[in-house]
Amino acid sequence: MKRKASAYLALTKPRVIELLLVSTLPTMIFAQRGFPSVWLMVSTLVGGAMAAGASGAFNCYLDRDMDKLMKRTKGRPLVTGDLTPKEALIFSWALAITSLVVLWVGTNPLTTALGLAAILLYVVFYTMILKRRTAQNIVWGGIAGCMPVLIAWAAVKETVEWPAIILFLVIFLWTPPHYWPLSMKYAEDYNAASVPMLGAIANARRVSVQVVLYAWATVVCSLLLVPLGHAGIVYTAIAGGAGVWFIYESHVLYREAQGDHKPAVVNRKAMKVFHISITYLSIVFLALAIDPFVGSPLFG
């Protein structure tokens, strides 16, 4: 029973859910300029987590053929046999429907619609259409990962405003320099599964250039929240400082990739950027959550 429960949990990709929730609560706090009601926070977080979990479960079901070809994903429950495809599909549908019910009851129609859009974007647009067809899969497919900030903002404001759009774009621009370094490390896996991830099919020099460009774009976009989103000094200082760090490490990867270093050395740098990108985004959203309680907006 415990093994089965663990398998169902693994199907939802908990680490991805954690990362998505990192952006949800701070966005709600920033939108409210304080703490929203407990009911609203719980409904949004639970409904959002379930929607993300359903998306991950559908993804595991649809990608089960390629997962068995990749070392990184051979431990997933549909590959190990801990779950059958039928069990995974039923669980995915149940979780998706429940997530929408939770959002409908606990938030508002717009938030529920955005939750549904997030599921469809990840399952249909990314997994079924883009992932196996284009090296830009993670760029446009990453839109699904940007949806939690829109969901969070809509839950509080019952609309989508410029600050939410800026945060959406921050995550959109952050996704490639976060994921492409990982695909550099696991290039053999993606090639074995015939997934045209840029980090797997392009050389390290080309990928590192893209990582640097997207890192710069991410940081610049994050600072647009100051003049356009009424962010204050805390957010400005922390997001700016974290951004300098993220850009610096991206340039280190670029420098290593341009040299004659062994692939293992470049891959170590790539994985460092991957991990730093997670820390960077977490710091930015932590600053977003703190900002309303300290000082006042720098503009307006």
Side-chain angles (χ1 to χ4, degrees), residues 4-287:
K4 205 76 165 179
S6 297
Y8 278 117
L9 179 62
L11 203 65
T12 65
K13 300 185 178 180
R15 290 184 179 179
V16 175
I17 294 176
E18 289 174 11
L19 194 58
L20 295 177
L21 293 181
V22 161
S23 65
T24 302
L25 184 57
T27 300
M28 294 184 74
I29 293 171
F30 189 77
Q32 184 70 43
R33 307 302 296 181
F35 285 104
S37 70
V38 173
W39 170 255
L40 185 61
M41 287 191 291
V42 171
S43 298
T44 306
L45 290 172
V46 171
M50 294 177 77
S55 300
F58 275 120
N59 176 267
C60 287
Y61 171 79
L62 293 167
D63 281 353
R64 63 192 186 280
D65 60 326
M66 70 168 64
D67 283 347
K68 65 184 179 182
L69 301 175
M70 300 171 64
K71 294 178 182 178
R72 188 172 67 89
T73 55
K74 280 187 175 180
R76 288 181 176 173
L78 286 174
V79 179
T80 61
D82 289 334
L83 292 175
T84 66
K86 182 179 179 180
E87 288 174 326
L89 189 59
I90 292 173
F91 175 74
S92 301
W93 276 109
L95 198 58
I97 293 169
T98 305
S99 73
L100 297 178
V101 171
V102 170
L103 290 174
W104 180 268
V105 172
T107 61
N108 54 67
L110 176 58
T111 304
T112 307
L114 290 170
L116 175 60
I119 295 172
L120 292 175
L121 282 166
Y122 190 76
V123 177
V124 179
F125 187 54
Y126 171 63
T127 304
M128 297 178 68
I129 298 176
L130 293 177
K131 188 172 183 178
R132 307 188 192 209
R133 290 181 172 87
T134 172
Q136 294 297 307
N137 47 22
I138 201 65
V139 178
W140 302 107
I143 291 174
C146 309
M147 295 300 289
V149 294
L150 299 187
I151 291 170
W153 197 275
V156 173
K157 295 287 193 176
E158 298 189 27
T159 187
V160 173
E161 299 169 308
W162 273 111
I165 294 172
I166 292 170
L167 292 170
F168 176 96
L169 291 173
V170 168
I171 300 176
F172 176 78
L173 294 167
W174 167 87
T175 301
H178 163 66
Y179 206 87
W180 281 337
L182 179 70
S183 66
M184 291 171 68
K185 166 72 173 178
Y186 293 101
E188 291 184 6
D189 269 6
Y190 287 110
N191 288 329
S194 299
V195 179
M197 200 67 67
L198 184 67
I201 65 173
N203 61 53
R205 294 184 179 186
R206 178 185 168 192
V207 178
S208 66
V209 170
Q210 294 296 312
V211 168
V212 167
L213 292 175
Y214 272 101
W216 271 98
T218 300
V219 175
V220 170
C221 187
S222 72
L223 296 177
L224 290 178
L225 204 61
V226 180
L228 300 179
H230 306 296
I233 186 64
V234 170
Y235 175 84
T236 305
I238 295 177
V244 169
W245 179 41
F246 184 31
I247 288 172
Y248 170 77
E249 293 296 345
S250 299
H251 276 275
V252 171
L253 172 61
Y254 169 79
R255 187 171 64 246
E256 295 291 338
Q258 303 309 307
D260 295 323
H261 300 286
K262 295 180 179 180
V265 175
V266 177
N267 286 342
R268 279 199 298 271
K269 295 295 183 181
M271 287 305 294
K272 185 176 182 181
V273 173
F274 168 75
H275 291 296
I276 285 172
S277 69
I278 297 173
T279 305
Y280 162 75
L281 195 71
S282 301
I283 290 173
V284 168
F285 277 94
L286 176 62

